[in-house]
Amino acid sequence: MKQAKQKPVVAILMGSDSDLEVMSEAEKVFDQFGVASQTRILSAHRTPKQTVDYVEKAEQSGLKIFIAGAGCAAHLAGIVAAHTTLPVIGVPLAASALNGIDALLATVQMPGGIPVASMAIGKAGAKNAALFAVSILSLSDARLAAKLKDYRKSMTEIVLKKDQDLRTR
Ligand code: RP5
């Protein structure tokens, strides 16, 4: 269920609507944890002014964490980080002939002073970006911290069950 009525605490940004299918993995996690998020298409290259405007205004409106997914020469996470001191989590996406290696290097190789937490390329990265954001929010939210522990526990139980099924088939 979407958390439309709550004020968003996390922004899920992406450079293009072609990124949406992968970045929706982050939305799913926030829905699962009951964290209010806002998803926007904002590009470092195609809408640079609107991107900076959004970052500057979002900070004032109570947003706490930015997730930025982009492919090709992925500068979105970097440009967001250049305009805020809030945590920025980058998700490199496979959108070119280089299968995301270009985006990974652009996201992870930030110069000293402007950090971006880079996740893995693609869907696992989008999912982990949201879980990492939940982990950050859990530092000041005991309810969320308990949910995150339950999430890990049930993940372990699912894998153990699969192993058990495999051994007894
Ligand atoms: C990046 O260029 C976007 O994040 C996207 O991954 C990639 C290709 O964009 P489209 O040409 O599909 O709009 O800025």
Side-chain angles (χ1 to χ4, degrees):
M1 196 180 70
K2 287 250 182 287
Q3 304 294 315
K5 284 176 194 150
Q6 289 172 258
K7 255 167 88 173
V9 291
V10 184
I12 304 169
L13 310 182
M14 64 200 80
S16 167
D17 61 332
S18 63
D19 301 325
L20 190 53
E21 191 206 335
V22 173
M23 293 309 292
S24 68
E25 293 298 317
E27 287 182 320
K28 284 183 207 164
V29 171
F30 291 132
D31 287 349
Q32 187 177 351
F33 280 86
V35 170
S37 65
Q38 178 172 57
T39 302
R40 293 286 305 269
I41 297 165
L42 287 164
S43 166
H45 305 122
R46 292 165 175 159
T47 62
K49 188 174 178 309
Q50 290 82 356
T51 301
V52 172
D53 283 353
Y54 177 82
V55 174
E56 288 174 349
K57 286 188 186 122
E59 194 169 329
Q60 289 154 17
S61 77
L63 204 94
K64 293 184 177 161
I65 301 169
F66 293 92
I67 290 174
C72 304
H75 294 124
L76 183 59
I79 202 81
V80 171
H83 290 86
T84 183
T85 51
L86 293 173
V88 179
I89 307 168
V91 184
L93 302 175
S96 77
L98 299 182
N99 287 324
I101 296 296
D102 42 359
L104 173 65
L105 294 178
T107 304
V108 81
Q109 290 290 2
M110 288 296 290
I114 308 293
V116 165
S118 179
M119 300 291 116
I121 298 168
K123 284 191 175 182
K127 182 176 187 175
N128 280 346
L131 287 168
F132 194 57
V134 168
S135 180
I136 293 169
L137 294 170
S138 292
L139 291 170
S140 57
D141 185 335
R143 181 196 63 89
L144 212 48
K147 269 193 171 182
L148 195 51
K149 282 193 168 48
D150 285 349
Y151 173 88
R152 288 280 182 100
K153 198 167 156 248
S154 71
M155 198 165 55
T156 300
E157 280 163 7
I158 287 166
V159 174
L160 290 175
K161 169 83 171 55
K162 283 179 179 168
D163 179 55
Q164 177 68 16
D165 290 349
L166 188 68
R167 284 189 286 137
T168 56
R169 71 183 166 161

